[in-house]
Amino acid sequence: MFELDARDKDLLNIIQNDFPLDVYPFARLGERLELPEAEVIQRLERLKGGKIIRQVSAIFDTRALGYQSSLVAMAVAAPHLDEAAAIVNGHPGVSHNYKRNHDFNLWFTIALPPGGDLKATVDRLHEMSGAESTRLLPTLHLFKIGVELDMTGKADLTRRSDPAYSSDKREKAKGYVLTAEDIDFVREIQEDLEIVSRPYLAGTQRLGVTEEAMIEHAQRLIATGHLRRIAAILYHRRAGYAANGMAVWKAPADNTMEIGNQMASFSVVSHCYLRPTYEDWPYNIFTMLHGRKMEDCYKVAEAIAETTGVTEYAMLFSTKEYKKTRVRYFTPELAEWEKEHLLAPVG
C-alpha cells in the first residue's frame, strides 16, 4: 500500500474539492498547508507517480455543454463479459465501465455531443457486445454529483452537508450558448493539468491568451454552470477506498424529490440521481457510496434508510474496473467511431 503522511492526506482532501483557480495554484495550496510551493509540487508528482491521483483537470457538466448522456446497464453472459466490456470501451464517449455483482453485470456511462442519437448508439453497442438485455438509465433529475473522499479517516461516515453541485446549478447553463472561443477553451482545459508552477502557461500559449484571461474564462463558465470545478480525481482503491457501492432504492414515485434530496445530503454519497424504472429494474433513485470496506457502504445505506423510510434497496459493488476516464469534449473520435460502427453490419 502506498504510504501517505498527514500532509499528503490534507493535500488530497483539498484538491478534490477546492483546487485553487489561480495562475500559481500550487503556491496557493502551499500557503494553506504552510508548505513551500516546491514541496507541494513534489508531493503531487509523487502521488501521481504512485497512482493515488489519476489526474487534475477541469470537470464540466456534460448536459450543460449540450451533450446527451446516460448510465447503461447490460446483462451479459459471464463467459463473454470481458469481451463485451472491451467492445463497449471502444466507444470514445464511454468514460466509466464496471463489472457489478448483479444479473445486470456490466454498467457504463456514455456521452454524445449535440445531434447524436443516444438510443441508436446504445442499441448498436447492445448488438456488437452480444448482451442479453440492455437498459438505458438516463438522469431524470440530478440531486448531487461530486466525489469527496476523506483521506484522514476522521470524518463521520454518516455526516450530512449541502450538495456542492445539483440540478439547481445546471439550470444556470440554459440561458447561455457556448461560443467558438468557449469550445476552444474547453478542449484545452479538459486535459490533465501539468504539475508545474504555472500549469496554465502552455495552454495560454496555444490559445493565444494570457494566464489571467484563462482564469477569468474558467470563472465565467463556473458562473454559467458549464464548468463545475477544477479538481483532482483519485484512484479510489489505491487511495484506500476499496468498496465502490451503488445503492439503488425503490422510492415512492410521489415523493422522489424530497427523498432524493435527503439522500444527497449524506456527504459520503458522491452521486445521487433519479432514473427511470423497468419491469425488471424497479429502482428509481441511485446513490454512489465509497468506503474503505463494504461494511462502510452498508452503514451509510442503513442510515439513509432510517432517515428516509425507504427500506427496499439493493447494493451493487463494482468487482472490476474496465474503464475510468474523463469525457473528452468536442474531439473528432466520436465521428470516426460512428463512421466505422454505427451504420456497419455486425460481424
Side-chain angles (χ1 to χ4, degrees):
M1 190 68 185
F2 193 88
E3 292 295 328
L4 301 174
D5 65 21
R7 290 295 181 88
D8 288 331
K9 293 174 183 178
D10 288 340
L11 177 58
L12 288 168
N13 273 4
I14 292 172
I15 64 175
Q16 288 180 80
N17 300 289
D18 195 18
F19 187 85
L21 192 50
D22 191 274
V23 172
Y24 297 95
F26 305 116
R28 301 292 83 78
L29 286 168
E31 290 169 2
R32 292 184 61 176
L33 293 167
E34 298 183 347
L35 295 173
E37 179 191 50
E39 184 176 341
V40 172
I41 289 173
Q42 182 182 32
R43 285 176 179 271
L44 291 174
E45 288 176 336
R46 174 175 170 268
L47 291 167
K48 284 195 78 174
K51 293 193 180 299
I52 301 297
I53 297 175
R54 191 182 295 268
Q55 71 181 76
V56 181
S57 64
I59 300 177
F60 290 94
D61 186 308
T62 300
R63 295 274 186 96
L65 292 181
Y67 275 60
Q68 306 169 64
S69 64
S70 185
L71 177 67
V72 180
M74 280 184 170
V76 181
H80 306 298
L81 187 60
D82 288 354
E83 179 184 356
I87 290 169
V88 169
N89 284 354
H91 190 286
V94 171
S95 57
H96 296 63
N97 191 8
Y98 298 99
K99 176 183 178 181
R100 295 193 182 278
N101 59 328
H102 191 270
D103 291 341
F104 284 105
N105 51 359
L106 191 65
W107 292 78
F108 62 93
T109 56
I110 185 169
L112 300 182
D117 190 329
L118 190 59
K119 184 179 184 304
T121 300
V122 171
D123 286 347
R124 184 60 173 165
L125 288 171
H126 171 85
E127 296 175 36
M128 293 171 62
S129 66
E132 296 171 354
S133 58
T134 299
R135 297 289 175 261
L136 198 61
L137 296 163
T139 298
L140 302 178
H141 186 84
L142 170 64
F143 297 107
K144 179 184 183 180
I145 185 169
V147 180
E148 181 182 348
L149 303 180
D150 172 44
M151 299 304 299
T152 67
K154 299 175 183 177
D156 179 5
L157 283 172
T158 59
R159 67 193 185 280
R160 311 281 286 275
S161 62
D162 292 332
Y165 196 90
S166 64
S167 282
D168 291 341
K169 293 192 176 180
R170 176 175 282 172
E171 287 297 312
K172 295 189 301 183
K174 289 186 176 179
Y176 182 85
V177 178
L178 290 174
T179 66
E181 181 185 13
D182 290 329
I183 291 172
D184 285 342
F185 173 81
V186 171
R187 289 192 182 111
E188 179 60 44
I189 204 170
Q190 70 184 338
E191 302 299 341
D192 193 9
L193 205 62
E194 191 176 0
I195 310 299
V196 295
S197 179
R198 298 166 66 181
Y200 300 107
L201 182 59
T204 62
Q205 292 170 345
R206 287 188 287 269
L207 291 173
V209 299
T210 65
E211 289 161 288
E212 289 78 12
M214 195 163 186
I215 298 300
E216 289 173 5
H217 203 149
Q219 290 169 337
R220 287 201 304 275
L221 290 185
I222 288 173
T224 61
H226 293 81
L227 174 59
R228 286 166 44 205
R229 67 189 194 281
I230 310 293
I233 308 300
L234 307 187
Y235 288 94
H236 293 177
R237 287 179 172 81
R238 293 278 296 177
Y241 282 78
N244 174 3
M246 184 172 71
V248 291
W249 306 82
K250 189 176 179 181
D254 62 351
N255 198 26
T256 54
M257 291 298 105
E258 180 181 352
I259 290 170
N261 285 321
Q262 288 179 317
M263 292 181 175
S265 72
F266 283 80
S267 298
V268 174
V269 172
S270 62
H271 300 66
C272 186
Y273 303 96
L274 179 67
R275 299 191 186 279
T277 59
Y278 295 87
E279 288 186 8
D280 55 358
W281 185 261
Y283 306 106
N284 53 359
I285 299 183
F286 288 59
T287 56
M288 285 303 309
L289 312 176
H290 303 280
R292 297 184 181 277
K293 51 188 183 299
M294 289 183 179
E295 289 81 0
D296 292 343
C297 296
Y298 282 113
K299 180 178 179 179
V300 176
E302 288 166 7
I304 290 173
E306 183 177 352
T307 299
T308 62
V310 180
T311 58
E312 191 170 350
Y313 74 95
M315 183 77 77
L316 281 66
F317 286 100
S318 62
T319 57
K320 186 172 185 178
E321 179 185 295
Y322 288 112
K323 186 177 185 180
K324 185 175 181 180
T325 186
R326 304 303 307 171
V327 177
R328 297 185 73 251
Y329 302 102
F330 306 114
T331 58
E333 295 91 347
L334 181 64
E336 295 169 4
W337 186 93
E338 290 187 342
K339 183 178 179 181
E340 182 178 355
H341 297 290
L342 195 55
L343 300 177
V346 176

